Amino acid sequence: MEVGKTREEVEKSGMIDTWLRKHSLIHTGATRHPFILGIRDGTVDLSAYKTWLGQDYLFVRAFIPFVASILIKAWKESDDSSTDMEVILSGMASLNEEISWFKSETPKWGVQLSDIVPQKSNQDYCRFLENLMSPDVEYPVAITALWAIEAVYQASFALCLEDGAKTPAELRQTCQRWGNDGFRQYCNSLQQIANRHLQKASNDLLTKAEVALLRVLEHEVEFWNMSRAEG
Ligand code: HMH
């Protein structure tokens, strides 16, 4: 047992991994979705990719204020969360760059940003984010959701870059965006932050964070389904 920690704190230390093991079915559903497997084996329907691209641009636009709300929560934390703020701020900086990427990527596919109409799964997901922006939502809950949102994309797109993947050349850059090593490290940092705060959390808070994680995984599956359905 580590000095200065109660038995309970030690048991809770790897909360995120514990939850992923517990919910492995839905986690696999989100990270190895047929849409992603289609990119990886080169059979993806390119009209599905276009749908995903346009919808994800709208999602990212809603995601930015969500990340900003977490930055505020980190700042208000009484414990030393200054490194948390730096990690979250670096994520926001990449989102700035991501918006530029969407603006240059969409015309290549004949997608006009001003014409994209949000689909129901996207609206539902964005509404979920908006609820999490409330000041009533505790920091550990929100940071767990942020980690999950980013980690699903990281795991999914990294799969398309593995040895043996037959990802079409014109989609490799997209996969690099979320499958690269820097993004993987960012996700690891978020996971560490989430675990650190969950370690100190009450059982009530732990339940809320676990539910938030599950909701993210469900929304991610729906988002992939939506992209394929319209393809
Ligand atoms: C739907 N989930 C969705 N879009 C994204 N861009 C991410 C996660 C990761 O940023």
Side-chain angles (χ1 to χ4, degrees):
M1 184 99 94
E2 288 174 64
V3 179
K5 283 188 179 177
T6 67
R7 173 176 303 280
E8 229 184 355
E9 278 174 344
V10 171
E11 279 168 6
K12 285 177 188 169
S13 62
M15 215 57 241
I16 297 277
D17 278 330
T18 304
W19 287 339
L20 290 185
R21 279 195 295 273
K22 183 172 163 193
H23 305 296
S24 65
L25 212 60
I26 179 87
H27 182 241
T28 304
T31 54
R32 304 183 73 98
H33 190 276
F35 176 78
I36 285 296
L37 298 180
I39 293 178
R40 180 187 152 98
D41 68 18
T43 62
V44 64
D45 183 345
L46 290 178
S47 68
Y49 174 76
K50 281 194 222 177
T51 300
W52 168 80
L53 184 67
Q55 293 296 317
D56 209 50
Y57 168 72
L58 296 185
F59 176 84
V60 170
R61 290 190 60 107
F63 183 58
I64 292 168
F66 167 68
V67 180
S69 78
I70 298 178
L71 189 71
I72 294 169
K73 290 187 208 293
W75 175 64
K76 291 191 172 171
E77 277 292 297
S78 49
D79 82 334
D80 181 33
S81 291
S82 55
T83 57
D84 292 19
M85 284 182 65
E86 286 160 23
V87 171
I88 298 160
L89 183 61
S90 77
M92 294 200 66
S94 333
L95 286 169
N96 183 34
E97 205 264 309
E98 205 161 293
I99 290 292
S100 309
W101 177 79
F102 277 104
K103 286 184 175 167
S104 62
E105 178 75 359
T106 41
K108 295 184 195 168
W109 297 88
V111 176
Q112 185 104 48
L113 292 181
S114 54
D115 289 350
I116 310 162
V117 178
Q119 293 189 31
K120 182 167 185 303
S121 304
N122 200 359
Q123 285 175 332
D124 290 348
Y125 201 173
C126 291
R127 198 172 308 118
F128 168 78
L129 290 186
E130 211 174 319
N131 291 336
L132 285 178
M133 290 182 217
S134 159
D136 297 341
V137 173
E138 297 87 347
Y139 178 55
V141 177
I143 194 89
T144 298
L146 173 62
W147 166 79
I149 293 167
E150 299 287 39
V152 165
Y153 264 42
Q154 196 280 321
S156 298
F157 286 109
L159 209 59
C160 304
L161 298 172
E162 281 180 352
D163 287 347
K166 300 185 188 70
T167 299
E170 65 268 39
L171 302 188
R172 285 197 72 86
Q173 196 205 43
T174 303
C175 299
Q176 282 288 350
R177 172 154 292 282
W178 289 279
N180 74 74
D181 215 54
F183 194 67
R184 187 179 56 77
Q185 283 164 23
Y186 168 62
C187 291
N188 285 343
S189 300
L190 289 178
Q191 182 169 352
Q192 279 170 23
I193 292 171
N195 274 332
R196 176 160 52 82
H197 291 278
L198 292 169
Q199 200 171 46
K200 300 179 287 184
S202 66
N203 284 334
D204 177 51
L205 213 56
L206 286 178
T207 303
K208 286 190 205 170
E210 186 177 4
V211 169
L213 165 60
L214 275 174
R215 292 289 101 84
V216 167
L217 296 176
E218 287 164 7
H219 281 297
E220 290 290 337
V221 169
E222 283 306 316
F223 203 92
W224 296 132
N225 287 345
M226 166 195 74
S227 303
R228 267 176 37 117
E230 280 296 302

